[in-house]
mmCIF file of all heavy atoms in Angstrom:
data_model
loop_
_atom_site.group_PDB
_atom_site.id
_atom_site.type_symbol
_atom_site.label_atom_id
_atom_site.label_comp_id
_atom_site.label_asym_id
_atom_site.label_seq_id
_atom_site.Cartn_x
_atom_site.Cartn_y
_atom_site.Cartn_z
ATOM 1 N N LYS K 67 98.983 109.548 111.707
ATOM 2 C CA LYS K 67 100.190 109.794 110.929
ATOM 3 C C LYS K 67 100.151 108.916 109.628
ATOM 4 O O LYS K 67 100.418 109.417 108.533
ATOM 5 C CB LYS K 67 101.420 109.426 111.746
ATOM 6 C CG LYS K 67 102.715 109.630 111.068
ATOM 7 C CD LYS K 67 103.884 109.217 111.995
ATOM 8 C CE LYS K 67 105.089 108.838 111.182
ATOM 9 N NZ LYS K 67 106.070 108.087 111.964
ATOM 10 N N TYR K 68 99.816 107.653 109.782
ATOM 11 C CA TYR K 68 99.781 106.758 108.643
ATOM 12 C C TYR K 68 98.687 107.156 107.658
ATOM 13 O O TYR K 68 98.857 107.072 106.465
ATOM 14 C CB TYR K 68 99.549 105.334 109.089
ATOM 15 C CG TYR K 68 100.783 104.535 109.475
ATOM 16 C CD1 TYR K 68 101.942 105.208 109.776
ATOM 17 C CD2 TYR K 68 100.796 103.165 109.507
ATOM 18 C CE1 TYR K 68 103.067 104.532 110.127
ATOM 19 C CE2 TYR K 68 101.954 102.461 109.837
ATOM 20 C CZ TYR K 68 103.091 103.164 110.137
ATOM 21 O OH TYR K 68 104.213 102.471 110.473
ATOM 22 N N ARG K 69 97.554 107.656 108.152
ATOM 23 C CA ARG K 69 96.504 108.134 107.272
ATOM 24 C C ARG K 69 96.953 109.358 106.521
ATOM 25 O O ARG K 69 96.672 109.480 105.307
ATOM 26 C CB ARG K 69 95.219 108.413 108.087
ATOM 27 C CG ARG K 69 94.025 108.781 107.200
ATOM 28 C CD ARG K 69 92.828 109.082 108.005
ATOM 29 N NE ARG K 69 93.066 110.203 108.908
ATOM 30 C CZ ARG K 69 92.177 110.699 109.769
ATOM 31 N NH1 ARG K 69 90.972 110.179 109.824
ATOM 32 N NH2 ARG K 69 92.445 111.695 110.550
ATOM 33 N N ALA K 70 97.618 110.267 107.199
ATOM 34 C CA ALA K 70 98.074 111.491 106.547
ATOM 35 C C ALA K 70 99.134 111.186 105.492
ATOM 36 O O ALA K 70 99.178 111.823 104.448
ATOM 37 C CB ALA K 70 98.681 112.449 107.584
ATOM 38 N N GLU K 71 99.985 110.148 105.739
ATOM 39 C CA GLU K 71 101.015 109.784 104.768
ATOM 40 C C GLU K 71 100.483 108.861 103.698
ATOM 41 O O GLU K 71 101.250 108.382 102.879
ATOM 42 C CB GLU K 71 102.174 109.099 105.508
ATOM 43 C CG GLU K 71 102.941 110.009 106.431
ATOM 44 C CD GLU K 71 103.975 109.321 107.295
ATOM 45 O OE1 GLU K 71 104.037 108.048 107.212
ATOM 46 O OE2 GLU K 71 104.680 110.000 107.995
ATOM 47 N N LYS K 72 99.170 108.624 103.705
ATOM 48 C CA LYS K 72 98.532 107.717 102.736
ATOM 49 C C LYS K 72 99.046 106.279 102.797
ATOM 50 O O LYS K 72 99.010 105.556 101.807
ATOM 51 C CB LYS K 72 98.684 108.275 101.308
ATOM 52 C CG LYS K 72 98.212 109.669 101.096
ATOM 53 C CD LYS K 72 96.739 109.699 101.013
ATOM 54 C CE LYS K 72 96.301 111.122 100.589
ATOM 55 N NZ LYS K 72 95.227 111.644 101.364
ATOM 56 N N LYS K 73 99.567 105.872 103.961
ATOM 57 C CA LYS K 73 99.972 104.485 104.130
ATOM 58 C C LYS K 73 98.763 103.573 104.336
ATOM 59 O O LYS K 73 98.815 102.381 103.966
ATOM 60 C CB LYS K 73 100.936 104.326 105.290
ATOM 61 C CG LYS K 73 102.317 104.923 105.001
ATOM 62 C CD LYS K 73 103.254 104.651 106.164
ATOM 63 C CE LYS K 73 104.613 105.242 105.849
ATOM 64 N NZ LYS K 73 105.589 104.991 106.925
ATOM 65 N N ILE K 74 97.719 104.113 104.912
ATOM 66 C CA ILE K 74 96.443 103.396 105.065
ATOM 67 C C ILE K 74 95.348 104.276 104.558
ATOM 68 O O ILE K 74 95.395 105.510 104.641
ATOM 69 C CB ILE K 74 96.235 102.964 106.517
ATOM 70 C CG1 ILE K 74 96.200 104.178 107.491
ATOM 71 C CG2 ILE K 74 97.201 101.929 106.993
ATOM 72 C CD1 ILE K 74 95.819 103.803 108.895
ATOM 73 N N ASP K 75 94.279 103.644 104.004
ATOM 74 C CA ASP K 75 93.139 104.404 103.528
ATOM 75 C C ASP K 75 92.195 104.649 104.704
ATOM 76 O O ASP K 75 92.387 104.126 105.789
ATOM 77 C CB ASP K 75 92.452 103.713 102.410
ATOM 78 C CG ASP K 75 91.868 102.344 102.766
ATOM 79 O OD1 ASP K 75 92.333 101.803 103.766
ATOM 80 O OD2 ASP K 75 90.998 101.858 102.081
ATOM 81 N N ARG K 76 91.149 105.471 104.461
ATOM 82 C CA ARG K 76 90.283 105.859 105.533
ATOM 83 C C ARG K 76 89.445 104.714 106.080
ATOM 84 O O ARG K 76 89.114 104.679 107.282
ATOM 85 C CB ARG K 76 89.366 107.005 105.121
ATOM 86 C CG ARG K 76 88.455 106.723 103.988
ATOM 87 C CD ARG K 76 87.766 107.976 103.443
ATOM 88 N NE ARG K 76 86.926 107.636 102.307
ATOM 89 C CZ ARG K 76 85.615 107.464 102.414
ATOM 90 N NH1 ARG K 76 85.034 107.601 103.601
ATOM 91 N NH2 ARG K 76 84.897 107.216 101.383
ATOM 92 N N HIS K 77 89.171 103.704 105.237
ATOM 93 C CA HIS K 77 88.413 102.558 105.717
ATOM 94 C C HIS K 77 89.243 101.709 106.676
ATOM 95 O O HIS K 77 88.757 101.286 107.739
ATOM 96 C CB HIS K 77 87.991 101.676 104.537
ATOM 97 C CG HIS K 77 87.168 102.441 103.495
ATOM 98 N ND1 HIS K 77 85.932 102.949 103.791
ATOM 99 C CD2 HIS K 77 87.470 102.833 102.258
ATOM 100 C CE1 HIS K 77 85.480 103.594 102.713
ATOM 101 N NE2 HIS K 77 86.406 103.551 101.761
ATOM 102 N N LEU K 78 90.504 101.464 106.312
ATOM 103 C CA LEU K 78 91.391 100.706 107.186
ATOM 104 C C LEU K 78 91.649 101.502 108.473
ATOM 105 O O LEU K 78 91.710 100.922 109.571
ATOM 106 C CB LEU K 78 92.711 100.417 106.460
ATOM 107 C CG LEU K 78 93.691 99.495 107.175
ATOM 108 C CD1 LEU K 78 93.067 98.168 107.448
ATOM 109 C CD2 LEU K 78 94.951 99.304 106.305
ATOM 110 N N TYR K 79 91.767 102.835 108.332
ATOM 111 C CA TYR K 79 91.984 103.670 109.505
ATOM 112 C C TYR K 79 90.836 103.519 110.504
ATOM 113 O O TYR K 79 91.039 103.297 111.717
ATOM 114 C CB TYR K 79 92.055 105.133 109.078
ATOM 115 C CG TYR K 79 92.008 106.124 110.220
ATOM 116 C CD1 TYR K 79 93.130 106.426 110.957
ATOM 117 C CD2 TYR K 79 90.802 106.733 110.595
ATOM 118 C CE1 TYR K 79 93.097 107.337 112.026
ATOM 119 C CE2 TYR K 79 90.742 107.639 111.656
ATOM 120 C CZ TYR K 79 91.908 107.908 112.354
ATOM 121 O OH TYR K 79 91.851 108.786 113.421
ATOM 122 N N ARG K 80 89.606 103.537 109.988
ATOM 123 C CA ARG K 80 88.430 103.436 110.882
ATOM 124 C C ARG K 80 88.389 102.090 111.556
ATOM 125 O O ARG K 80 88.131 101.991 112.721
ATOM 126 C CB ARG K 80 87.153 103.685 110.020
ATOM 127 C CG ARG K 80 85.876 103.648 110.781
ATOM 128 C CD ARG K 80 85.813 104.491 112.025
ATOM 129 N NE ARG K 80 86.286 105.839 111.889
ATOM 130 C CZ ARG K 80 86.560 106.628 112.909
ATOM 131 N NH1 ARG K 80 86.390 106.212 114.160
ATOM 132 N NH2 ARG K 80 87.030 107.859 112.731
ATOM 133 N N ALA K 81 88.689 101.037 110.803
ATOM 134 C CA ALA K 81 88.654 99.670 111.366
ATOM 135 C C ALA K 81 89.704 99.544 112.452
ATOM 136 O O ALA K 81 89.436 98.991 113.547
ATOM 137 C CB ALA K 81 88.875 98.634 110.268
ATOM 138 N N LEU K 82 90.891 100.015 112.169
ATOM 139 C CA LEU K 82 91.992 99.904 113.154
ATOM 140 C C LEU K 82 91.774 100.813 114.377
ATOM 141 O O LEU K 82 92.133 100.462 115.491
ATOM 142 C CB LEU K 82 93.340 100.271 112.529
ATOM 143 C CG LEU K 82 93.828 99.271 111.459
ATOM 144 C CD1 LEU K 82 95.057 99.808 110.748
ATOM 145 C CD2 LEU K 82 94.101 97.910 112.058
ATOM 146 N N TYR K 83 91.120 101.953 114.150
ATOM 147 C CA TYR K 83 90.761 102.861 115.271
ATOM 148 C C TYR K 83 89.843 102.152 116.232
ATOM 149 O O TYR K 83 90.059 102.194 117.455
ATOM 150 C CB TYR K 83 90.122 104.102 114.677
ATOM 151 C CG TYR K 83 89.911 105.246 115.655
ATOM 152 C CD1 TYR K 83 90.829 106.276 115.721
ATOM 153 C CD2 TYR K 83 88.791 105.320 116.472
ATOM 154 C CE1 TYR K 83 90.669 107.337 116.626
ATOM 155 C CE2 TYR K 83 88.612 106.326 117.362
ATOM 156 C CZ TYR K 83 89.536 107.342 117.423
ATOM 157 O OH TYR K 83 89.346 108.362 118.317
ATOM 158 N N GLN K 84 88.857 101.501 115.680
ATOM 159 C CA GLN K 84 87.898 100.774 116.522
ATOM 160 C C GLN K 84 88.582 99.617 117.268
ATOM 161 O O GLN K 84 88.306 99.369 118.449
ATOM 162 C CB GLN K 84 86.727 100.242 115.694
ATOM 163 C CG GLN K 84 85.836 101.302 115.147
ATOM 164 C CD GLN K 84 85.152 102.107 116.207
ATOM 165 O OE1 GLN K 84 84.877 101.608 117.316
ATOM 166 N NE2 GLN K 84 84.814 103.401 115.934
#
Side-chain angles (χ1 to χ4, degrees):
K67 180 181 156 196
Y68 274 20
R69 184 181 60 180
E71 293 173 356
K72 304 284 189 227
K73 288 185 179 180
I74 57 174
D75 62 340
R76 61 192 179 96
H77 304 292
L78 187 58
Y79 169 83
R80 181 52 46 194
L82 292 173
Y83 189 96
Q84 292 296 333

